[in-house]
PDB file of all heavy atoms in Angstrom:
ATOM      1  N   MET A   1      -0.649  -7.513  32.245  1.00 42.00           N
ATOM      2  CA  MET A   1       0.734  -7.516  31.764  1.00 42.00           C
ATOM      3  C   MET A   1       0.799  -8.183  30.393  1.00 42.00           C
ATOM      4  O   MET A   1       0.217  -9.224  30.170  1.00 42.00           O
ATOM      5  CB  MET A   1       1.627  -8.285  32.740  1.00 42.00           C
ATOM      6  CG  MET A   1       3.105  -8.191  32.396  1.00 42.00           C
ATOM      7  SD  MET A   1       4.122  -9.028  33.632  1.00 42.00           S
ATOM      8  CE  MET A   1       4.148 -10.670  32.932  1.00 42.00           C
ATOM      9  N   THR A   2       1.519  -7.529  29.454  1.00 49.00           N
ATOM     10  CA  THR A   2       1.671  -8.104  28.122  1.00 49.00           C
ATOM     11  C   THR A   2       3.064  -8.714  27.998  1.00 49.00           C
ATOM     12  O   THR A   2       4.049  -8.163  28.494  1.00 49.00           O
ATOM     13  CB  THR A   2       1.488  -7.027  27.039  1.00 49.00           C
ATOM     14  OG1 THR A   2       2.446  -5.992  27.253  1.00 49.00           O
ATOM     15  CG2 THR A   2       0.087  -6.458  27.089  1.00 49.00           C
ATOM     16  N   LEU A   3       3.120  -9.833  27.361  1.00 52.00           N
ATOM     17  CA  LEU A   3       4.387 -10.516  27.155  1.00 52.00           C
ATOM     18  C   LEU A   3       4.801 -10.351  25.703  1.00 52.00           C
ATOM     19  O   LEU A   3       4.037 -10.663  24.795  1.00 52.00           O
ATOM     20  CB  LEU A   3       4.262 -12.001  27.492  1.00 52.00           C
ATOM     21  CG  LEU A   3       3.946 -12.325  28.956  1.00 52.00           C
ATOM     22  CD1 LEU A   3       3.768 -13.826  29.130  1.00 52.00           C
ATOM     23  CD2 LEU A   3       5.050 -11.823  29.872  1.00 52.00           C
ATOM     24  N   LYS A   4       6.007  -9.855  25.506  1.00 57.00           N
ATOM     25  CA  LYS A   4       6.513  -9.669  24.152  1.00 57.00           C
ATOM     26  C   LYS A   4       7.275 -10.912  23.728  1.00 57.00           C
ATOM     27  O   LYS A   4       8.190 -11.353  24.403  1.00 57.00           O
ATOM     28  CB  LYS A   4       7.438  -8.452  24.096  1.00 57.00           C
ATOM     29  CG  LYS A   4       7.982  -8.177  22.691  1.00 57.00           C
ATOM     30  CD  LYS A   4       8.915  -6.992  22.687  1.00 57.00           C
ATOM     31  CE  LYS A   4       9.482  -6.760  21.297  1.00 57.00           C
ATOM     32  NZ  LYS A   4      10.441  -5.644  21.270  1.00 57.00           N
ATOM     33  N   ARG A   5       6.895 -11.466  22.590  1.00 65.00           N
ATOM     34  CA  ARG A   5       7.596 -12.632  22.065  1.00 65.00           C
ATOM     35  C   ARG A   5       8.275 -12.257  20.761  1.00 65.00           C
ATOM     36  O   ARG A   5       7.653 -11.732  19.841  1.00 65.00           O
ATOM     37  CB  ARG A   5       6.626 -13.794  21.818  1.00 65.00           C
ATOM     38  CG  ARG A   5       7.337 -15.049  21.336  1.00 65.00           C
ATOM     39  CD  ARG A   5       6.369 -16.116  20.892  1.00 65.00           C
ATOM     40  NE  ARG A   5       7.082 -17.291  20.417  1.00 65.00           N
ATOM     41  CZ  ARG A   5       7.606 -17.411  19.201  1.00 65.00           C
ATOM     42  NH1 ARG A   5       7.506 -16.409  18.345  1.00 65.00           N
ATOM     43  NH2 ARG A   5       8.244 -18.514  18.852  1.00 65.00           N
ATOM     44  N   GLU A   6       9.582 -12.500  20.703  1.00 75.00           N
ATOM     45  CA  GLU A   6      10.332 -12.196  19.503  1.00 75.00           C
ATOM     46  C   GLU A   6      10.400 -13.423  18.598  1.00 75.00           C
ATOM     47  O   GLU A   6      10.631 -14.537  19.061  1.00 75.00           O
ATOM     48  CB  GLU A   6      11.763 -11.774  19.860  1.00 75.00           C
ATOM     49  CG  GLU A   6      11.863 -10.447  20.567  1.00 75.00           C
ATOM     50  CD  GLU A   6      13.312 -10.100  20.876  1.00 75.00           C
ATOM     51  OE1 GLU A   6      13.990 -10.911  21.524  1.00 75.00           O
ATOM     52  OE2 GLU A   6      13.759  -9.005  20.466  1.00 75.00           O
ATOM     53  N   VAL A   7      10.200 -13.192  17.309  1.00 86.00           N
ATOM     54  CA  VAL A   7      10.401 -14.274  16.358  1.00 86.00           C
ATOM     55  C   VAL A   7      11.909 -14.482  16.207  1.00 86.00           C
ATOM     56  O   VAL A   7      12.719 -13.641  16.600  1.00 86.00           O
ATOM     57  CB  VAL A   7       9.745 -13.965  15.002  1.00 86.00           C
ATOM     58  CG1 VAL A   7       8.245 -13.885  15.143  1.00 86.00           C
ATOM     59  CG2 VAL A   7      10.295 -12.671  14.414  1.00 86.00           C
ATOM     60  N   LEU A   8      12.284 -15.612  15.615  1.00 88.00           N
ATOM     61  CA  LEU A   8      13.703 -15.984  15.585  1.00 88.00           C
ATOM     62  C   LEU A   8      14.581 -14.922  14.931  1.00 88.00           C
ATOM     63  O   LEU A   8      15.647 -14.585  15.453  1.00 88.00           O
ATOM     64  CB  LEU A   8      13.879 -17.312  14.840  1.00 88.00           C
ATOM     65  CG  LEU A   8      13.675 -18.598  15.650  1.00 88.00           C
ATOM     66  CD1 LEU A   8      14.032 -19.807  14.797  1.00 88.00           C
ATOM     67  CD2 LEU A   8      14.522 -18.593  16.920  1.00 88.00           C
ATOM     68  N   TYR A   9      14.163 -14.400  13.788  1.00 89.00           N
ATOM     69  CA  TYR A   9      15.053 -13.473  13.097  1.00 89.00           C
ATOM     70  C   TYR A   9      15.251 -12.181  13.883  1.00 89.00           C
ATOM     71  O   TYR A   9      16.305 -11.533  13.785  1.00 89.00           O
ATOM     72  CB  TYR A   9      14.559 -13.199  11.668  1.00 89.00           C
ATOM     73  CG  TYR A   9      13.521 -12.115  11.517  1.00 89.00           C
ATOM     74  CD1 TYR A   9      13.886 -10.780  11.424  1.00 89.00           C
ATOM     75  CD2 TYR A   9      12.168 -12.426  11.445  1.00 89.00           C
ATOM     76  CE1 TYR A   9      12.943  -9.790  11.269  1.00 89.00           C
ATOM     77  CE2 TYR A   9      11.211 -11.445  11.287  1.00 89.00           C
ATOM     78  CZ  TYR A   9      11.605 -10.130  11.201  1.00 89.00           C
ATOM     79  OH  TYR A   9      10.663  -9.145  11.061  1.00 89.00           O
ATOM     80  N   GLN A  10      14.244 -11.794  14.689  1.00 89.00           N
ATOM     81  CA  GLN A  10      14.410 -10.617  15.544  1.00 89.00           C
ATOM     82  C   GLN A  10      15.279 -10.936  16.753  1.00 89.00           C
ATOM     83  O   GLN A  10      16.142 -10.142  17.137  1.00 89.00           O
ATOM     84  CB  GLN A  10      13.040 -10.119  16.003  1.00 89.00           C
ATOM     85  CG  GLN A  10      12.204  -9.499  14.902  1.00 89.00           C
ATOM     86  CD  GLN A  10      10.824  -9.098  15.389  1.00 89.00           C
ATOM     87  OE1 GLN A  10      10.246  -9.739  16.268  1.00 89.00           O
ATOM     88  NE2 GLN A  10      10.289  -8.030  14.830  1.00 89.00           N
ATOM     89  N   LYS A  11      15.049 -12.104  17.338  1.00 90.00           N
ATOM     90  CA  LYS A  11      15.822 -12.500  18.517  1.00 90.00           C
ATOM     91  C   LYS A  11      17.304 -12.634  18.187  1.00 90.00           C
ATOM     92  O   LYS A  11      18.167 -12.292  19.005  1.00 90.00           O
ATOM     93  CB  LYS A  11      15.283 -13.824  19.058  1.00 90.00           C
ATOM     94  CG  LYS A  11      15.968 -14.294  20.331  1.00 90.00           C
ATOM     95  CD  LYS A  11      15.316 -15.565  20.866  1.00 90.00           C
ATOM     96  CE  LYS A  11      15.994 -16.031  22.148  1.00 90.00           C
ATOM     97  NZ  LYS A  11      15.357 -17.272  22.676  1.00 90.00           N
ATOM     98  N   TRP A  12      17.611 -13.122  16.985  1.00 92.00           N
ATOM     99  CA  TRP A  12      18.990 -13.340  16.591  1.00 92.00           C
ATOM    100  C   TRP A  12      19.491 -12.280  15.623  1.00 92.00           C
ATOM    101  O   TRP A  12      20.450 -12.503  14.893  1.00 92.00           O
ATOM    102  CB  TRP A  12      19.131 -14.740  15.987  1.00 92.00           C
ATOM    103  CG  TRP A  12      18.954 -15.809  17.014  1.00 92.00           C
ATOM    104  CD1 TRP A  12      17.805 -16.480  17.323  1.00 92.00           C
ATOM    105  CD2 TRP A  12      19.948 -16.289  17.921  1.00 92.00           C
ATOM    106  NE1 TRP A  12      18.020 -17.358  18.351  1.00 92.00           N
ATOM    107  CE2 TRP A  12      19.328 -17.277  18.741  1.00 92.00           C
ATOM    108  CE3 TRP A  12      21.299 -16.003  18.127  1.00 92.00           C
ATOM    109  CZ2 TRP A  12      20.021 -17.942  19.741  1.00 92.00           C
ATOM    110  CZ3 TRP A  12      21.990 -16.684  19.106  1.00 92.00           C
ATOM    111  CH2 TRP A  12      21.362 -17.637  19.899  1.00 92.00           C
ATOM    112  N   ARG A  13      18.862 -11.111  15.650  1.00 93.00           N
ATOM    113  CA  ARG A  13      19.331  -9.999  14.822  1.00 93.00           C
ATOM    114  C   ARG A  13      20.750  -9.623  15.239  1.00 93.00           C
ATOM    115  O   ARG A  13      21.061  -9.561  16.434  1.00 93.00           O
ATOM    116  CB  ARG A  13      18.399  -8.800  14.988  1.00 93.00           C
ATOM    117  CG  ARG A  13      18.767  -7.614  14.104  1.00 93.00           C
ATOM    118  CD  ARG A  13      17.944  -6.396  14.462  1.00 93.00           C
ATOM    119  NE  ARG A  13      16.555  -6.538  14.074  1.00 93.00           N
ATOM    120  CZ  ARG A  13      16.074  -6.263  12.870  1.00 93.00           C
ATOM    121  NH1 ARG A  13      16.894  -5.824  11.924  1.00 93.00           N
ATOM    122  NH2 ARG A  13      14.800  -6.400  12.604  1.00 93.00           N
ATOM    123  N   PRO A  14      21.647  -9.368  14.298  1.00 94.00           N
ATOM    124  CA  PRO A  14      23.029  -9.007  14.647  1.00 94.00           C
ATOM    125  C   PRO A  14      23.084  -7.773  15.544  1.00 94.00           C
ATOM    126  O   PRO A  14      22.367  -6.801  15.318  1.00 94.00           O
ATOM    127  CB  PRO A  14      23.679  -8.715  13.288  1.00 94.00           C
ATOM    128  CG  PRO A  14      22.857  -9.464  12.305  1.00 94.00           C
ATOM    129  CD  PRO A  14      21.460  -9.454  12.839  1.00 94.00           C
ATOM    130  N   ARG A  15      23.950  -7.826  16.559  1.00 94.00           N
ATOM    131  CA  ARG A  15      24.128  -6.700  17.475  1.00 94.00           C
ATOM    132  C   ARG A  15      25.469  -6.012  17.284  1.00 94.00           C
ATOM    133  O   ARG A  15      25.695  -4.915  17.777  1.00 94.00           O
ATOM    134  CB  ARG A  15      23.999  -7.189  18.916  1.00 94.00           C
ATOM    135  CG  ARG A  15      22.629  -7.804  19.227  1.00 94.00           C
ATOM    136  CD  ARG A  15      22.575  -8.297  20.659  1.00 94.00           C
ATOM    137  NE  ARG A  15      22.742  -7.213  21.609  1.00 94.00           N
ATOM    138  CZ  ARG A  15      23.261  -7.365  22.833  1.00 94.00           C
ATOM    139  NH1 ARG A  15      23.679  -8.562  23.229  1.00 94.00           N
ATOM    140  NH2 ARG A  15      23.366  -6.336  23.642  1.00 94.00           N
ATOM    141  N   LYS A  16      26.371  -6.663  16.566  1.00 95.00           N
ATOM    142  CA  LYS A  16      27.674  -6.069  16.252  1.00 95.00           C
ATOM    143  C   LYS A  16      28.070  -6.514  14.856  1.00 95.00           C
ATOM    144  O   LYS A  16      27.463  -7.418  14.269  1.00 95.00           O
ATOM    145  CB  LYS A  16      28.725  -6.480  17.281  1.00 95.00           C
ATOM    146  CG  LYS A  16      28.906  -7.978  17.415  1.00 95.00           C
ATOM    147  CD  LYS A  16      29.932  -8.305  18.502  1.00 95.00           C
ATOM    148  CE  LYS A  16      30.121  -9.822  18.621  1.00 95.00           C
ATOM    149  NZ  LYS A  16      31.107 -10.170  19.657  1.00 95.00           N
ATOM    150  N   PHE A  17      29.091  -5.871  14.306  1.00 96.00           N
ATOM    151  CA  PHE A  17      29.481  -6.155  12.921  1.00 96.00           C
ATOM    152  C   PHE A  17      29.847  -7.622  12.710  1.00 96.00           C
ATOM    153  O   PHE A  17      29.547  -8.204  11.660  1.00 96.00           O
ATOM    154  CB  PHE A  17      30.652  -5.257  12.511  1.00 96.00           C
ATOM    155  CG  PHE A  17      30.292  -3.806  12.369  1.00 96.00           C
ATOM    156  CD1 PHE A  17      30.900  -2.845  13.163  1.00 96.00           C
ATOM    157  CD2 PHE A  17      29.342  -3.393  11.442  1.00 96.00           C
ATOM    158  CE1 PHE A  17      30.578  -1.496  13.035  1.00 96.00           C
ATOM    159  CE2 PHE A  17      29.012  -2.053  11.299  1.00 96.00           C
ATOM    160  CZ  PHE A  17      29.627  -1.101  12.105  1.00 96.00           C
ATOM    161  N   ALA A  18      30.488  -8.228  13.708  1.00 95.00           N
ATOM    162  CA  ALA A  18      30.920  -9.623  13.573  1.00 95.00           C
ATOM    163  C   ALA A  18      29.739 -10.574  13.449  1.00 95.00           C
ATOM    164  O   ALA A  18      29.893 -11.699  12.948  1.00 95.00           O
ATOM    165  CB  ALA A  18      31.789 -10.017  14.764  1.00 95.00           C
ATOM    166  N   ASP A  19      28.549 -10.143  13.877  1.00 95.00           N
ATOM    167  CA  ASP A  19      27.360 -10.998  13.795  1.00 95.00           C
ATOM    168  C   ASP A  19      26.709 -10.974  12.421  1.00 95.00           C
ATOM    169  O   ASP A  19      25.874 -11.819  12.116  1.00 95.00           O
ATOM    170  CB  ASP A  19      26.316 -10.554  14.831  1.00 95.00           C
ATOM    171  CG  ASP A  19      26.784 -10.768  16.262  1.00 95.00           C
ATOM    172  OD1 ASP A  19      27.668 -11.611  16.462  1.00 95.00           O
ATOM    173  OD2 ASP A  19      26.249 -10.084  17.168  1.00 95.00           O
ATOM    174  N   VAL A  20      27.062  -9.984  11.606  1.00 96.00           N
ATOM    175  CA  VAL A  20      26.445  -9.852  10.281  1.00 96.00           C
ATOM    176  C   VAL A  20      27.010 -10.947   9.374  1.00 96.00           C
ATOM    177  O   VAL A  20      28.222 -11.055   9.190  1.00 96.00           O
ATOM    178  CB  VAL A  20      26.710  -8.460   9.675  1.00 96.00           C
ATOM    179  CG1 VAL A  20      26.080  -8.354   8.285  1.00 96.00           C
ATOM    180  CG2 VAL A  20      26.161  -7.372  10.592  1.00 96.00           C
ATOM    181  N   VAL A  21      26.125 -11.740   8.802  1.00 95.00           N
ATOM    182  CA  VAL A  21      26.542 -12.927   8.048  1.00 95.00           C
ATOM    183  C   VAL A  21      26.687 -12.622   6.558  1.00 95.00           C
ATOM    184  O   VAL A  21      25.798 -12.034   5.944  1.00 95.00           O
ATOM    185  CB  VAL A  21      25.520 -14.073   8.239  1.00 95.00           C
ATOM    186  CG1 VAL A  21      25.901 -15.283   7.390  1.00 95.00           C
ATOM    187  CG2 VAL A  21      25.429 -14.460   9.707  1.00 95.00           C
ATOM    188  N   GLY A  22      27.840 -13.011   6.009  1.00 93.00           N
ATOM    189  CA  GLY A  22      28.020 -12.961   4.563  1.00 93.00           C
ATOM    190  C   GLY A  22      28.282 -11.597   3.967  1.00 93.00           C
ATOM    191  O   GLY A  22      28.225 -11.438   2.743  1.00 93.00           O
ATOM    192  N   GLN A  23      28.597 -10.593   4.805  1.00 96.00           N
ATOM    193  CA  GLN A  23      28.834  -9.246   4.283  1.00 96.00           C
ATOM    194  C   GLN A  23      30.158  -8.698   4.797  1.00 96.00           C
ATOM    195  O   GLN A  23      30.279  -7.513   5.138  1.00 96.00           O
ATOM    196  CB  GLN A  23      27.682  -8.301   4.689  1.00 96.00           C
ATOM    197  CG  GLN A  23      26.291  -8.830   4.426  1.00 96.00           C
ATOM    198  CD  GLN A  23      26.001  -9.084   2.966  1.00 96.00           C
ATOM    199  OE1 GLN A  23      26.672  -8.561   2.067  1.00 96.00           O
ATOM    200  NE2 GLN A  23      24.992  -9.915   2.677  1.00 96.00           N
ATOM    201  N   ASP A  24      31.172  -9.537   4.825  1.00 95.00           N
ATOM    202  CA  ASP A  24      32.473  -9.123   5.379  1.00 95.00           C
ATOM    203  C   ASP A  24      33.075  -7.951   4.625  1.00 95.00           C
ATOM    204  O   ASP A  24      33.790  -7.132   5.213  1.00 95.00           O
ATOM    205  CB  ASP A  24      33.454 -10.308   5.355  1.00 95.00           C
ATOM    206  CG  ASP A  24      33.048 -11.417   6.315  1.00 95.00           C
ATOM    207  OD1 ASP A  24      32.163 -11.176   7.158  1.00 95.00           O
ATOM    208  OD2 ASP A  24      33.612 -12.525   6.219  1.00 95.00           O
ATOM    209  N   HIS A  25      32.828  -7.873   3.324  1.00 95.00           N
ATOM    210  CA  HIS A  25      33.381  -6.776   2.529  1.00 95.00           C
ATOM    211  C   HIS A  25      32.839  -5.428   2.983  1.00 95.00           C
ATOM    212  O   HIS A  25      33.519  -4.401   2.825  1.00 95.00           O
ATOM    213  CB  HIS A  25      33.077  -6.985   1.045  1.00 95.00           C
ATOM    214  CG  HIS A  25      31.615  -7.021   0.714  1.00 95.00           C
ATOM    215  ND1 HIS A  25      30.753  -7.997   1.169  1.00 95.00           N
ATOM    216  CD2 HIS A  25      30.845  -6.175  -0.032  1.00 95.00           C
ATOM    217  CE1 HIS A  25      29.534  -7.765   0.718  1.00 95.00           C
ATOM    218  NE2 HIS A  25      29.563  -6.675  -0.008  1.00 95.00           N
ATOM    219  N   ILE A  26      31.659  -5.426   3.584  1.00 96.00           N
ATOM    220  CA  ILE A  26      31.052  -4.191   4.067  1.00 96.00           C
ATOM    221  C   ILE A  26      31.434  -3.916   5.513  1.00 96.00           C
ATOM    222  O   ILE A  26      31.858  -2.799   5.860  1.00 96.00           O
ATOM    223  CB  ILE A  26      29.516  -4.252   3.918  1.00 96.00           C
ATOM    224  CG1 ILE A  26      29.139  -4.237   2.438  1.00 96.00           C
ATOM    225  CG2 ILE A  26      28.833  -3.098   4.658  1.00 96.00           C
ATOM    226  CD1 ILE A  26      27.666  -4.442   2.163  1.00 96.00           C
TER     227      ILE A  26
END
Side-chain angles (χ1 to χ4, degrees):
M1 187 176 89
T2 58
L3 296 177
K4 181 181 178 182
R5 183 189 179 279
E6 292 180 305
V7 295
L8 276 186
Y9 85 84
Q10 290 177 327
K11 183 176 180 180
W12 291 94
R13 183 189 289 275
R15 299 179 62 208
K16 57 182 181 180
F17 291 119
D19 294 337
V20 179
V21 177
Q23 311 298 341
D24 293 347
H25 61 295
I26 292 174

